[in-house]
Amino acid sequence: MKTLERSFIKLVTIYYLIPFLLIALYLSINTYNKDISFKTTVIETKINNLKGVIELVLESKMTIIDNLAENIKEGASDIKTILNGTYIINSPDLRLIYFVDNKGNLTVAPQIEIPENFDFKKTKWYQTALKEGFSLTTSFEDPEKTKMVVTLSKAIYDDNNNFLGIISLDMTSEKMKKILQKFDLYKDENLYIINTTGDVIFNNVDKKLKFDIDFKTLPDDTKIINSNGKKMYYTNIKNRLFVIYVFDNVAIIKNALIKSVAYFIVFLSFVLIGSYFIQKHLKKNIVIPLESLSNTMQGFVKDINKKKFGGFRLPKTDIQEINDIIVSFRTLSSTIIATTTNMNLLNDQLKRIYKVTQDVNRFFFKFIDIIISLDKKDLTIEEFFESTLEILISQIKEAKYGSISILQGNKWKYIAAVGHDIEKLNELNLENSIDLHFEEKVNIIRYNEMFEYNKKILNEEEFKKLKEATKPFKEAMTYIGNLECCKLMISVEIPEEEKIRFSAESREIFTAFIVLSKIFIEQKFEIEKIEKIYFKFAQKLASIAEGHDDVTGKHIFRVGKISAFIAKKMGFDDKTVELFEKYAPLHDIGKIYVPHEILNKEGKLTDEEFEEMKKHTIYAKKLLDDDKQFKFALNIALYHHENCDGSGYPYGLKCEEIPIEAAIVKVVDVYDALRAKRPYKRAFSHKEVMKIITQGDNRTNPTDFHKEVLKVFIENEKEIEKLWDEINNSGGEEV
């Protein structure tokens, strides 16, 4: 034992302490160097990667411009169609595409309203492209100058070097933002994209910097430069854009130095503490435990292994304790071999368990799919429950048939069925009383038991139809629950020829699907309730917006009803007709943002006041633009003052560009406005109004209206007159 103790003391003092101190020093210095090198490499990589991405984006947009230029050089006649087609394909990245020919004509896609005093020849993009052949300039797409637009422009010449025009496209600010978001930047890293004049086009933080650098003189390679006392990397993109990465070089060195010193101190502490305890407690912590372990292992071997184990030879050492460990290891190896044999015996059982696990996994993933579908707003009740019933029957191994139904009002409606005739079931007049004998839990009921009860509460004819529509079964697992919105009934059945019954596992699966079904249907009805509340609120706002000259409050109601009538006559489906009746009343909702004094002015509006009044179409976006379900309403509110001949507002669209819903509401709005009495005009008769609409006057022209809509309106004028009179003569406002 003394030999072992002296050997460890020698090992610690000579071979442990000094080498580890040297290793600690080496690792600390190496950590410092690697940290500095790593930070520098990361910065260069980020800059070069971003450069590559932006170059690809610019090259893709230049390809678009080159293709358009070739079409124009080849004498394409319909420039507008080419621009519109190109814009539709690339619209996620583009804001506008426009072409100015050598005669000064401007074609824009998509169609926008261009101010009369706008002179594109004074713009930076036009002048630069005309002078240099190509330009990359910047501007802003909003008055507040918060969303910058990058404009690529190219001058086009024919083969004889005759000037044909300039083609340009505006990239959206969101495109560059998405590029920057793909790069993992820390909060203290500032990344800027700058043009040759020093303007900041995009950056990843709100903080702006001024750069006292002549960017045109910088070389192409990625370099480190100084500006305003800050150190930064930059790289040149096609001599037109620069990517600038601003970083704190002192902070990097400081952090690397602190980290390396910390590594050294921690490592040194462990070495010194370990050395101290190893030397002080050598006998207590190593020699005595090793001897005890040896004795324990020898006793363990005598107890469990009566025979000598052979098969390999291990070398002996001069330390008795180590020899004891070798002997014990030999015995332990034998035990491990025996354990391995036992593990093989478990292999078959594990295979069986694996098969069961696969089945459970398949069910689990199907269950997850149903949970995910709960958040799909456009998922109908029928689609959800048809899928749910199909999965439920596939996972409950005893079941082959089933049905799901709900009770609204006082009648059951079957939503989904497997094995049963759902059409015949929905023809039955099954009232609320059919479920009174079930508790709100999972019930097991036999076929005869169920129909004996139904025979008592149904008349003979209804009972016969129910039995014909229902496939006979041995027993059914059924649940009927009272929800806030309705009652829900779910049932799965075992075929009558089977001799099995529902297991406890099947009950658990059934219960899980009940929970999901209740969550879905309650959520679905809650969403519908919220939609109705929001629509009522919007309709109230529309009524307020019209209140300045619609003293009866019936204008919006008449517009909704008559628009729905025309839509039905034009062959729209019932769902779309319902949208007309719901959303046509919101056509002037944007007037809520028009100043009160303009809305209530009795005399003629000034040009400035009329321009403000016209903005009520655009103001509708503030209330209707955030939700895709109000897209239909927004189209009506935004475009119902557009004329088929392009003389309308706010965008001057032509007939084929105006949504059909807006075209329908337009003619109805004009009809109702003429017929209704207003503070500033008398009420016109139906005959007078039809003459104005079909022949025109100083304000209205038949070319304002969609031809097909006007045709249907004229063909059904008598019914429209009757409908208008009925609504106008009815009791108060209907909301």
Side-chain angles (χ1 to χ4, degrees):
M1 297 300 296
K2 293 295 182 181
T3 302
L4 178 62
E5 187 174 350
R6 286 195 298 270
S7 298
F8 270 96
I9 292 173
K10 182 179 179 181
L11 175 67
V12 169
T13 54
I14 299 177
Y15 301 107
Y16 174 83
L17 184 59
I18 296 174
F20 271 86
L21 286 175
L22 295 174
I23 292 173
L25 182 61
Y26 168 77
L27 290 177
S28 299
I29 296 172
N30 191 50
T31 299
Y32 170 83
N33 292 330
K34 284 185 176 180
D35 199 56
I36 295 294
S37 176
F38 173 77
K39 287 289 179 67
T40 303
T41 302
V42 167
I43 291 171
E44 291 181 353
T45 301
K46 285 182 178 180
I47 290 292
N48 289 323
N49 288 345
L50 184 57
K51 174 183 178 180
V53 172
I54 294 175
E55 284 182 339
L56 287 175
V57 171
L58 292 178
E59 287 174 3
S60 68
K61 300 303 174 285
M62 280 306 304
T63 300
I64 295 173
I65 287 182
D66 290 341
N67 291 337
L68 291 172
E70 286 300 317
N71 285 331
I72 293 169
K73 287 174 64 176
E74 292 172 4
S77 58
D78 193 354
I79 302 299
K80 182 176 181 180
T81 300
I82 295 174
L83 295 187
N84 279 328
T86 304
Y87 174 79
I88 290 171
I89 296 172
N90 301 278
S91 59
D93 297 343
L94 302 182
R95 181 173 175 266
L96 294 172
I97 303 178
Y98 38 96
F99 171 67
V100 180
D101 64 21
N102 52 12
K103 297 179 181 179
N105 297 317
L106 176 62
T107 305
V108 183
Q111 183 70 38
I112 61 171
E113 185 176 358
I114 301 173
E116 294 180 359
N117 60 350
F118 175 70
D119 186 359
F120 54 82
K121 292 185 178 180
K122 295 181 180 180
T123 60
K124 189 175 180 179
W125 58 265
Y126 184 91
Q127 293 177 351
T128 306
L130 192 62
K131 179 180 178 181
E132 300 179 8
F134 171 81
S135 70
L136 189 153
T137 58
T138 59
S139 59
F140 295 94
E141 69 180 71
D142 59 320
E144 294 79 12
K145 296 186 177 180
T146 60
K147 297 181 179 179
M148 186 168 284
V149 176
V150 177
T151 301
L152 300 177
S153 305
K154 180 179 181 179
I156 306 174
Y157 295 88
D158 63 16
D159 295 337
N160 297 321
N161 208 28
N162 294 317
F163 177 65
L164 300 179
I166 293 177
I167 184 74
S168 301
L169 61 79
D170 288 349
M171 292 173 55
T172 62
S173 58
E174 295 301 319
K175 180 64 178 178
M176 286 297 183
K177 288 182 180 178
K178 289 179 181 178
I179 293 174
L180 291 180
Q181 289 170 355
K182 293 181 179 179
F183 290 85
D184 187 17
L185 299 175
Y186 298 104
K187 62 181 181 180
D188 59 344
E189 294 179 320
N190 299 332
L191 192 65
Y192 296 82
I193 300 178
I194 300 169
N195 62 17
T196 54
T197 61
D199 296 325
V200 176
I201 299 176
F202 295 98
N203 71 299
N204 67 313
V205 294
D206 293 332
K207 184 178 179 182
K208 305 291 185 181
L209 287 181
K210 294 289 184 179
F211 298 91
D212 56 350
I213 304 170
D214 185 1
F215 291 92
K216 295 181 179 179
T217 63
L218 295 176
D220 293 340
D221 298 331
T222 300
K223 299 291 183 182
I224 297 179
I225 57 175
N226 289 289
S227 176
N228 295 325
K230 291 187 174 294
K231 207 162 189 178
M232 56 190 73
Y233 271 85
Y234 87 97
T235 188
N236 184 337
I237 302 177
K238 297 186 178 297
N239 293 321
R240 300 190 180 275
L241 291 178
F242 297 87
V243 178
I244 306 294
Y245 175 93
V246 182
F247 65 97
D248 190 348
N249 188 53
V250 175
I252 293 177
I253 295 174
K254 182 179 178 181
N255 290 336
L257 185 60
I258 291 173
K259 186 184 293 186
S260 63
V261 171
Y263 271 117
F264 179 80
I265 292 174
V266 171
F267 205 101
L268 180 61
S269 299
F270 276 111
V271 171
L272 294 176
I273 292 171
S275 176
Y276 171 78
F277 280 104
I278 289 173
Q279 292 186 46
K280 184 176 181 180
H281 302 289
L282 179 61
K283 185 173 182 179
K284 178 180 178 181
N285 295 323
I286 296 180
V287 177
I288 295 177
L290 191 58
E291 183 180 12
S292 175
L293 176 63
S294 177
N295 294 332
T296 301
M297 293 180 67
Q298 288 178 2
F300 178 75
V301 170
K302 291 178 182 179
D303 291 336
I304 66 172
N305 192 7
K306 300 297 182 180
K307 296 181 179 180
K308 182 182 291 187
F309 175 75
F312 59 86
R313 297 182 62 183
L314 295 174
K316 292 185 178 181
T317 68
D318 295 333
I319 302 174
Q320 183 61 40
E321 290 82 1
I322 301 300
N323 286 329
D324 291 339
I325 293 174
I326 292 173
V327 174
S328 297
F329 176 75
R330 180 183 291 115
T331 305
L332 182 61
S333 298
S334 299
T335 305
I336 292 173
I337 293 173
T339 303
T340 302
T341 303
N342 291 332
M343 291 294 293
N344 290 331
L345 298 176
L346 295 174
N347 187 47
D348 291 339
Q349 184 178 356
L350 289 174
K351 288 181 179 179
R352 290 193 296 271
I353 294 173
Y354 175 73
K355 185 179 183 303
V356 172
T357 303
Q358 282 186 315
D359 295 337
V360 172
N361 283 341
R362 280 192 291 269
F363 167 70
F364 176 76
F365 287 121
K366 289 182 178 180
F367 199 74
I368 291 297
D369 288 340
I370 294 179
I371 293 175
I372 292 172
S373 71
L374 293 178
D375 282 334
K376 294 181 179 178
K377 287 186 178 180
D378 56 348
L379 182 69
T380 65
I381 292 177
E382 288 78 7
E383 291 171 340
F384 175 81
F385 281 119
E386 286 173 1
S387 174
T388 297
L389 183 60
E390 180 182 343
I391 295 174
L392 184 60
I393 292 175
S394 70
Q395 296 304 313
I396 297 179
K397 57 186 178 182
E398 302 91 350
K400 294 295 183 288
Y401 319 137
S403 65
I404 299 176
S405 56
I406 60 174
L407 175 70
Q408 280 187 291
N410 199 36
K411 183 179 178 181
W412 285 98
K413 178 184 178 183
Y414 283 82
I415 306 299
V418 174
H420 309 299
D421 191 328
I422 191 170
E423 293 183 1
K424 289 184 177 180
L425 287 172
N426 279 323
E427 292 174 359
L428 300 173
N429 187 24
L430 300 178
E431 299 182 351
N432 188 16
S433 58
I434 195 170
D435 68 276
L436 292 180
H437 70 304
F438 292 129
E439 298 180 19
E440 192 170 345
K441 65 177 185 179
V442 177
N443 296 277
I444 304 296
I445 184 169
R446 291 183 174 273
Y447 178 79
N448 292 335
E449 183 183 353
M450 176 180 286
F451 276 91
E452 284 175 7
Y453 174 80
N454 290 332
K455 191 173 183 180
K456 295 177 183 178
I457 62 172
L458 299 175
N459 61 50
E460 184 176 349
E461 183 180 354
E462 291 289 330
F463 177 77
K464 182 179 178 182
K465 290 181 179 179
L466 177 61
K467 207 162 185 179
E468 289 176 353
T470 306
K471 195 173 185 67
F473 55 85
K474 178 182 179 181
E475 67 178 23
M477 183 156 53
T478 305
Y479 169 82
I480 296 180
N482 291 303
L483 308 181
E484 183 180 352
C485 57
C486 61
K487 286 187 178 182
L488 172 67
M489 180 163 66
I490 304 176
S491 176
V492 293
E493 298 93 31
I494 301 175
E496 61 179 344
E497 66 273 9
E498 297 289 345
K499 296 182 179 181
I500 56 177
R501 304 199 66 184
F502 289 110
S503 65
E505 179 185 349
S506 295
R507 282 173 172 262
E508 291 178 0
I509 294 173
F510 189 72
T511 301
F513 276 87
I514 288 172
V515 173
L516 282 182
S517 298
K518 289 170 69 175
I519 291 172
F520 171 78
I521 200 165
E522 287 180 335
Q523 177 178 284
K524 196 70 175 176
F525 279 95
E526 186 66 22
I527 290 173
E528 290 180 0
K529 184 167 71 174
I530 292 171
E531 288 176 352
K532 289 179 181 178
I533 292 171
Y534 187 88
F535 172 71
K536 293 286 186 183
F537 175 70
Q539 201 172 38
K540 285 292 184 184
L541 288 180
S543 181
I544 294 171
E546 292 288 354
H548 68 285
D549 58 2
D550 182 22
V551 294
T552 67
K554 295 178 182 177
H555 169 68
I556 62 173
F557 183 53
R558 292 191 298 262
V559 170
K561 286 289 186 181
I562 298 175
S563 297
F565 171 81
I566 294 175
K568 189 171 185 66
K569 290 295 183 180
M570 291 184 69
F572 287 95
D573 58 55
D574 292 342
K575 187 173 181 181
T576 306
V577 171
E578 182 182 352
L579 291 178
F580 273 98
E581 187 166 348
K582 283 178 65 177
Y583 295 133
L586 307 184
H587 63 285
D588 278 337
I589 196 170
K591 287 183 179 178
I592 203 78
Y593 292 102
V594 176
H596 187 71
E597 57 271 15
I598 296 179
L599 289 174
N600 290 279
K601 185 174 181 179
E602 294 184 1
K604 184 178 180 181
L605 298 179
T606 66
D607 291 344
E608 292 78 10
E609 290 170 337
F610 184 62
E611 287 302 316
E612 178 62 27
M613 175 67 82
K614 289 198 297 184
K615 290 181 181 177
H616 79 273
T617 55
I618 297 175
Y619 289 155
K621 287 185 176 183
K622 296 183 179 182
L623 290 170
L624 303 175
D625 198 26
D626 291 335
D627 198 323
K628 64 180 181 180
Q629 74 179 31
F630 283 99
K631 175 65 174 175
F632 193 90
L634 179 61
N635 280 347
I636 292 173
L638 191 57
Y639 303 114
H640 75 283
H641 281 293
E642 297 285 2
N643 294 331
C644 264
D645 59 4
S647 63
Y649 64 87
Y651 302 120
L653 303 182
K654 292 294 184 67
C655 213
E656 64 276 6
E657 300 170 314
I658 303 171
I660 189 63
E661 54 266 31
I664 291 174
V665 173
K666 176 180 179 59
V667 68
V668 177
D669 187 33
V670 171
Y671 174 82
D672 188 83
L674 290 171
R675 287 214 61 187
K677 181 180 179 181
R678 300 290 169 87
Y680 51 83
K681 63 172 280 296
R682 68 177 180 86
F684 290 88
S685 68
H686 172 78
K687 186 175 181 180
E688 290 175 312
V689 173
M690 290 305 298
K691 183 177 180 181
I692 292 172
I693 289 176
T694 57
Q695 298 180 20
D697 62 2
N698 60 336
R699 294 183 60 186
T700 304
N701 194 300
T703 59
D704 294 345
F705 307 113
H706 191 288
K707 289 183 179 179
E708 184 63 28
V709 175
L710 185 59
K711 178 184 176 183
V712 173
F713 190 90
I714 295 171
E715 290 173 350
N716 297 276
E717 65 162 305
K718 294 298 182 183
E719 293 180 75
I720 291 172
E721 179 185 12
K722 181 180 178 182
L723 180 59
W724 193 94
D725 290 337
E726 287 176 354
I727 299 171
N728 196 52
N729 296 329
S730 63
E733 174 188 3
E734 180 172 337
V735 180

